[in-house]
Amino acid sequence: QVKPQFESRVNETYGIFQAIVYRTQVVAGINYFIKVQVSDSMYVHLRVFESLPHENQGPSLVSYQTGKTRDDPLTYF
């Protein structure tokens, strides 16, 4: 759901956009930290916030890190 948000921020389009692993953090909603494969050897880390259900808002891309590898740890950023 956040692929278009990410692509518009980095001004690129990706044919591959596959979530590999994720972690969650409960706040006033949920922060998702997601490792996403965007090419054979390139990965990005996304921080996505999903508000509480009664707020009727979809997930939003808060932050991202590019230039990651499959082995980079998924940590808070």
Side-chain angles (χ1 to χ4, degrees):
Q1 288 180 320
V2 296
K3 181 181 179 190
Q5 294 174 51
F6 176 69
E7 289 178 335
S8 70
R9 287 200 191 175
V10 297
N11 202 25
E12 291 192 41
T13 303
Y14 296 97
I16 299 173
F17 201 80
Q18 177 68 42
I20 304 299
V21 295
Y22 75 95
R23 296 175 55 194
T24 59
Q25 176 189 39
V26 176
V27 288
I30 300 175
N31 278 325
Y32 290 93
F33 299 90
I34 310 166
K35 182 181 294 191
V36 178
Q37 182 177 9
V38 293
S39 75
D40 288 341
S41 59
M42 273 185 48
Y43 294 80
V44 296
H45 290 180
L46 306 179
R47 180 164 44 130
V48 175
F49 177 73
E50 187 169 36
S51 61
L52 298 171
H54 71 276
E55 295 181 21
N56 274 343
Q57 295 179 1
S60 65
L61 179 63
V62 175
S63 185
Y64 62 89
Q65 296 177 329
T66 58
K68 297 294 185 174
T69 67
R70 186 176 185 98
D71 297 327
D72 285 335
L74 189 57
T75 57
Y76 182 91
F77 59 92

